[in-house]
Structures are given as C-alpha cells and as structure tokens.
Amino acid sequence: MSSWRSWHRPLTVFSAVMAFGALFSAVGLVVDDRILVGAPIWAKPFKFYLSFTAYGLTLAWMLAQTTWGRRTGWWAGNVVVLTALVEMVIITGQVIRGKRSHFNAETPFDTNLYTVMGLTIVVLWAATLVIAVLLLRTRLADRATAWAIRGGVLIALVGAGLGFLMAQPTAEQRAAGDLDTADVIGAHSVGVPDGGPSMPLTGWSTTGGDLRIPHFVGMHALQLIPLFLVVLVLLAPRIARLGDARVRLRLVRVATVGYAGLVALTTWQALRGQPLIHPDTATLLAAGVLLAAVAAGVGAALRTTPAPDPVSVHTETEPASDSKEFTA
C-alpha cells in the first residue's frame, strides 16, 4: 500500500477544497431558507461537494498504484480537477443567483452555463476512462486489490455515464413540443415532475422513478468495493478463512458482480418510473434473485479449501535421503 505522500497531489488538494465547500454549503443549509425545485437551495452543492471529496481522494490513491503510463495518469488527474472545479463554480454560482444549474434553459446565459457543465462532465468522464485504462494495465501483486480497484472504477464509469440520461428531454417535454423555447430540458425524475415529494437527505423521488439513484450507486462503487476489501483484510486476523488470499479474491469478485447487478436493477426500476421505496412485484423478484445469487457466491467463496502450507508440503512429501554438499 502506497504512502499518502505519493498520492496525486492536485487531486488531494482538490478534495480538501471540496471538503471546505461541503462545510460552506452546510452553513448555507442552516442560514439560507430558500427552496428551489422542492429542496433547500444549498442541498445540491452540499451533496456534490461531498461526492467530489470522496471521488478525488479515491482517484488520488488509485493513481498512486499505477506502474504504467504514470505521466499520462498525472495529466488525466489534473483534467479531473479542472473540470470538476468548473462544474462546482457554476453550481455554486447558480445557487447564489437563486437559479437551478441543471436542465436550465430559461435564458441564453443559463443555457450557456448548462452547456459548459455538460462539456466539462464529458471531459471528466473521458479523463476517468483514461485512468481506468491505466489501472487495467497495471500489474498489482495482490489480485483482490487489483480486482477491487478495476471493478470499482469501471462500475463508477457506468454510473457516471447514466447521468447523461438525465440531460435528455423527457417524454412529457417532447410531447409538449417547443423544446427550442422551453425553460427546462431534461430531468432527474421519470414519470413525474422534478421537485415533488422526496426522501429525506437524498431528495430522491417517492412518487416516480429517479435516475439519480443508479447514478449515485454506480459512481460510489469507486469507494465501496475497495472499502469492502479493506474490511476483509481487517477481519482476517479474527476470521481464519479470510486470511486466505484466494478467499478474499473470490469474495471481492462476488461483491463486484453483485454491485453491478444492483446498478442494473436500480436503473431498470428508475426507467420504469418506479420509486425506490415502492418496488413492484417484478422489482422484488429481481432483487430476490440478485440477493440469492450473491449469497450463493459468498457461500461458494467461503467453502474454498485453504491453500496448503508450502513448508509443510515440502516436509511431508520429500523423501529422506543422505544430503550431499557441493562446493564450487
């Protein structure tokens, strides 16, 4: 495990700035009582700042693991920093103006800002893809660590890509026509307008589908899958079977596949206009199948016979014989 001093420094500094932005937004939540699209106006920047704090730190650590194309990775990390900063400046600036940042086509100025945001996210996604390629080509000594890093970043790319679905005009907006003169183009919600009844803290819709759910779940695979491996390593001294590197590798594989299944399930549910907390029979059946498959995978992984001790095997199988010393 590399020292934090070897982490990508611009991304590390960026994460510190994002943490400060989250604190600033938290103060805004307390002192500013304005409501925008059914939510406290500072809720969006608060969540974005927190998300970018974790995103930046994780990429900074992952880039320190690369052994191939490190200069390319350094520049890709810098691109992530620059594009994310532009994104957050626009989001925060729009909050100060009392305007929504996403999907806003109310004025030419708002439209241009939203266009810039769209371009920065595309570039950020491409830079993350470059980092993913570097990680795929990096040989790591521990196979479970390699699987966790690669699986996490690939699922995160899919989760980030789901954000592009929100930028498309909804069926209701297309039916209304006049997209060239519409004030809002795109939406988080599916089947219901944005700003309706929502879950506390997350703000996810409780009356329709919400594409922010698979977007959130997918992007945070970047942190959660490697953290799952960290937990396994911490438990290894207490649970003997987890001391076997093969068992940890199989468990990480199961967790990665299961997590990808969760992203697919929440995407399917959202696209059908179904709230997360009100699943129908089909969603419950799919979730049951996914849970059963993960449980079966965990059981199979834990049943793996630990590798024999090479020393004991050598001692037991090598026949006794008179030793002879050879000298040069």
Side-chain angles (χ1 to χ4, degrees), residues 113 161 272 279:
L113 287 180
R272 290 186 296 133

Side-chain angles (χ1 to χ4, degrees), residues 170-237:
T170 66
E172 293 78 13
Q173 290 167 353
R174 289 195 182 96
D178 298 325
L179 290 177
D180 292 337
T181 59
D183 290 341
V184 176
I185 300 176
H188 300 132
S189 303
V190 178
V192 295
D194 284 348
S198 61
M199 298 170 61
L201 299 180
T202 63
W204 296 337
S205 176
T206 57
T207 57
D210 200 319
L211 290 167
R212 289 174 297 181
I213 299 171
H215 179 61
F216 173 87
V217 173
M219 284 195 65
H220 289 287
L222 194 70
Q223 296 87 37
L224 293 178
I225 295 177
L227 280 176
F228 174 71
L229 175 59
V230 170
V231 171
L232 295 182
V233 172
L234 291 176
L235 291 175

Side-chain angles (χ1 to χ4, degrees), residues 95-113:
V95 166
I96 293 172
R97 295 179 64 229
K99 303 287 186 178
R100 63 188 297 170
S101 51
H102 290 74
F103 321 128
N104 191 348
E106 186 177 352
T107 68
F109 180 71
D110 293 316
T111 300
N112 289 335
L113 287 180

Side-chain angles (χ1 to χ4, degrees), residues 250-276:
R250 293 192 179 199
L251 287 173
V252 169
R253 284 174 172 170
V254 171
T256 303
V257 174
Y259 201 101
L262 178 62
V263 174
L265 177 61
T266 52
T267 303
W268 179 57
Q269 184 181 15
L271 288 173
R272 290 186 296 133
Q274 187 179 115
L276 178 70

Side-chain angles (χ1 to χ4, degrees), residues 56-316:
L57 280 177
T58 308
L59 284 184
W61 168 68
M62 287 183 173
L63 281 169
Q65 314 308 311
T66 58
T67 57
W68 183 86
R70 301 201 69 171
R71 185 170 181 81
T72 300
W74 189 83
W75 281 108
N78 290 345
V79 170
V80 170
V81 170
L82 178 61
T83 52
L85 283 174
V86 172
E87 180 88 358
M88 292 312 303
V89 166
I90 294 175
I91 289 175
T92 306
Q94 288 291 75
V95 166
I96 293 172
R97 295 179 64 229
K99 303 287 186 178
R100 63 188 297 170
S101 51
H102 290 74
F103 321 128
N104 191 348
E106 186 177 352
T107 68
F109 180 71
D110 293 316
T111 300
N112 289 335
L113 287 180
Y114 182 45
T115 299
V116 171
M117 289 176 63
L119 292 173
T120 59
I121 288 301
V122 170
V123 176
L124 187 150
W125 188 91
T128 305
L129 176 61
V130 170
I131 295 172
V133 171
L134 297 180
L135 290 168
L136 288 172
R137 298 199 58 166
T138 295
R139 292 185 176 273
L140 297 175
D142 182 66
R143 295 176 64 197
T145 300
W147 187 277
I149 290 175
R150 294 165 182 168
V153 73
L154 289 175
I155 295 175
L157 279 169
V158 173
L162 291 173
F164 296 115
L165 294 176
M166 305 180 207
Q168 304 303 311
T170 66
E172 293 78 13
Q173 290 167 353
R174 289 195 182 96
D178 298 325
L179 290 177
D180 292 337
T181 59
D183 290 341
V184 176
I185 300 176
H188 300 132
S189 303
V190 178
V192 295
D194 284 348
S198 61
M199 298 170 61
L201 299 180
T202 63
W204 296 337
S205 176
T206 57
T207 57
D210 200 319
L211 290 167
R212 289 174 297 181
I213 299 171
H215 179 61
F216 173 87
V217 173
M219 284 195 65
H220 289 287
L222 194 70
Q223 296 87 37
L224 293 178
I225 295 177
L227 280 176
F228 174 71
L229 175 59
V230 170
V231 171
L232 295 182
V233 172
L234 291 176
L235 291 175
R238 298 183 181 182
I239 304 175
R241 195 164 291 277
L242 295 181
D244 186 345
R246 296 180 308 157
V247 172
R248 293 197 301 272
L249 173 60
R250 293 192 179 199
L251 287 173
V252 169
R253 284 174 172 170
V254 171
T256 303
V257 174
Y259 201 101
L262 178 62
V263 174
L265 177 61
T266 52
T267 303
W268 179 57
Q269 184 181 15
L271 288 173
R272 290 186 296 133
Q274 187 179 115
L276 178 70
I277 59 175
H278 298 300
D280 62 9
T281 303
T283 301
L284 288 174
L285 284 174
V289 170
L290 177 62
L291 185 61
V294 170
V298 170
L302 292 176
R303 285 196 299 270
T304 302
T305 304
D309 184 353
V311 176
S312 62
V313 170
H314 177 80
T315 303
E316 293 173 4

